[in-house]
Structure formats: structure tokens, C-alpha cells
Amino acid sequence: PQNRPFNQSAAADQPQGPVQPNSKPWTMEFYQQFFDVDTRQVLLRMGNTLLPITCPDFLSDLGWHWNNQNVATHGPQTSGQPGAAAANAANSMFESANGVLLNKAPDLYGPFWICTTLWMLTAIISNILSKIANTRLNAQNKSNAEANGYPFVSVEWNYDFTQASIALGTVYIYTALLSATLWGIMRWKDLPVGFTHCLCTYGYSMFLFLLAAILCIIPVGFLQWLACMIAAVWSSLYIILNFWFVWRNSLNKAWFLGVLILVCSCHIGLGLAFRFYFFSYDL
């Protein structure tokens, strides 16, 4: 395996946000660090999923992205003056975008609302498609009944609330479980990757499925297939490119290919689940 150095110190020491030193996991202060973002930054991170060849801001200093090899190889440069390293570490948490100071730590605000919107929208669109299919079926049955001279019996349609609970479990459990699995594998292989980095990356990758769900409201089977598969492939690419360098240079070939297959197969499986379960109506 290749063992070129990458920015391990930056990954291990990357600050996670303005957390209070005495804050505990059962206090609000502990979780405040993961929601310290504004609308502009969340939109920037969502937009970054559409162009995965650019590194998102919360990973830009770690050198994990395939396009960040110079940063990964050489690491952040610091001056020899006293306090320069501490100042650089503090400044590395923020970057300026159009004059607005943005926190560069990974957040859970965007992933939470992306996943929440996704499962709600999936349940709504699934029921809309079910209603369309029911309406077309009744129209076809009515036409056949009139042509053959027998009474027409309408098929009743009811809102399926189980779609909402299944969509909720699918989206939340998938995002959390796959993030934890990927993080566990990398920690087992002694890679300095934080769980919040994995969860933030996976959470924002679900934005592609959100766009696919919106397109799937169009009752055209081929378009629904195309939207789900493009979302699965594109979101897989987003995750792979963001962790490419740390995987490629720290794992042997077998593990590297195994992680790639895991990410791609799970995302494609999720895309198939959307198409075959939530958007599977005969239209």
C-alpha cells in the first residue's frame, strides 16, 4: 500500500466548535457547537454537493479531498513567532465568504434538516403518486365497465401514514448507521477521522436524494428511475472524493476497494429502495 504522509495532525487537532471546556454531553452547551452555522453557510455546503470536485469548507484544512493533495502532503504552514500556531489553529476554524465570517467546523444543523425534509417530502410524494395511480385506475375501470355494461365500483383511496414512519426510519437510520460504520472502520484502521466529519458529510450527501424526490413527483417511470440513480451515484461520488486522499494513502488496496464498494453499494441500494418502495406505483 501507499503510505505517503497526509495531514494527520490537522485532522486530530481540528477544533469542533466553540464548546465550553466544562460542558457535558447531557447539557445544551455541548450540542451548541454542532449547530453554530447560519443559513448562508448551510446553503454553501448544500451547493457543494452539486459540485463534489470542490472540497467543502469543513474539510478544507484536513487534506482528505482528492483535490487537496498539496495541503495533505505539506500540512498547514505556521510561522516561527510565539503563538503563531495557536493563532493559525483559531483562524482555521473560520473563513470569509463575501465579507461574512463562516465557521469551518462540521455541523449537524444542515444534515438534520436535510434528512427531516427528505423523509417528510418522500412520504408526501409517495402518497401523491399513490393518489394519481388510484385516480387512473378508477378511470380505467370506469371506462371498462361502461364498455362492457356492468356496474362500476370505485376503488377507495386513503392516505398511507405508514409511509411517513418508514421514510423517517429509513433516512435517519441509514444516515446515522452508515456514518458510524464508516467512522468505525477508519478508527479501527487508526485514521484520524472524527465522527462529526463523517456524519456531516453523509448528512449533506442526502441533499441529492432530496432533489431526486422532488423530481419523482413527475409521474413518469423513466424519469423517476433516472433521478434516483443519479442521486445515488452523485452522492456516492461526493462522499468518496471528500475522503479519497485519506483512504488512498492510508489503506491497502483491498481495504480501499472495500470501502469504495461499501459506500457505492449502500447508496445505490438506498436509491433502489426509494424507487421500488416509495415511488413504485404503476402510473
Side-chain angles (χ1 to χ4, degrees), residues 154-224:
S154 176
V155 178
E156 184 180 0
W157 180 85
N158 295 304
Y159 191 93
D160 188 0
F161 288 97
T162 60
Q163 295 282 41
S165 58
I166 294 176
L168 182 151
T170 299
V171 173
Y172 282 148
I173 293 176
Y174 176 86
T175 304
L177 184 61
L178 265 294
S179 300
T181 300
L182 195 63
W183 172 75
I185 291 174
M186 288 190 282
R187 293 302 298 169
W188 182 42
K189 303 300 289 185
D190 294 325
L191 301 184
V193 178
F195 177 65
T196 52
H197 291 98
C198 293
L199 189 57
C200 185
T201 304
Y202 254 93
Y204 277 104
S205 75
M206 301 302 286
F207 177 64
L208 281 305
F209 287 101
L210 180 59
L211 299 180
I214 295 174
L215 291 176
C216 284
I217 198 173
I218 303 174
V220 178
F222 172 75
L223 179 61
Q224 293 173 347

Side-chain angles (χ1 to χ4, degrees), residues 47-149:
N48 182 256
T49 63
L50 303 176
L51 193 64
I53 59 174
T54 60
C55 183
D57 56 358
F58 60 89
L59 296 178
S60 59
D61 291 336
L62 304 182
W64 297 344
H65 195 276
W66 77 282
N67 204 24
N68 273 6
Q69 295 192 13
N70 289 332
V71 175
T73 302
H74 300 293
Q77 299 298 321
T78 58
S79 66
Q81 298 177 357
N88 286 340
N91 292 334
S92 68
M93 286 187 61
F94 300 94
E95 69 176 4
S96 178
N98 297 326
V100 177
L101 199 62
L102 302 177
N103 187 357
K104 295 175 65 177
D107 75 282
L108 300 184
Y109 180 86
F112 171 78
W113 283 111
I114 289 173
C115 292
T116 300
T117 306
L118 176 58
W119 73 258
M120 295 179 63
L121 192 62
T122 298
I124 293 172
I125 293 176
S126 179
N127 277 277
I128 290 175
L129 294 176
S130 174
K131 176 60 176 177
I132 294 174
N134 177 265
T135 301
R136 291 184 177 181
L137 177 62
N138 281 330
Q140 183 179 0
N141 290 343
K142 183 178 181 180
S143 177
N144 292 337
E146 292 175 350
N148 293 282

Side-chain angles (χ1 to χ4, degrees), residues 30-49:
F30 178 82
Y31 296 98
Q32 182 180 359
Q33 60 179 314
F34 304 119
F35 294 85
D36 187 21
V37 289
D38 58 16
T39 303
R40 180 193 295 266
Q41 186 164 15
V42 171
L43 292 176
L44 286 174
R45 293 180 175 183
M46 290 167 59
N48 182 256
T49 63

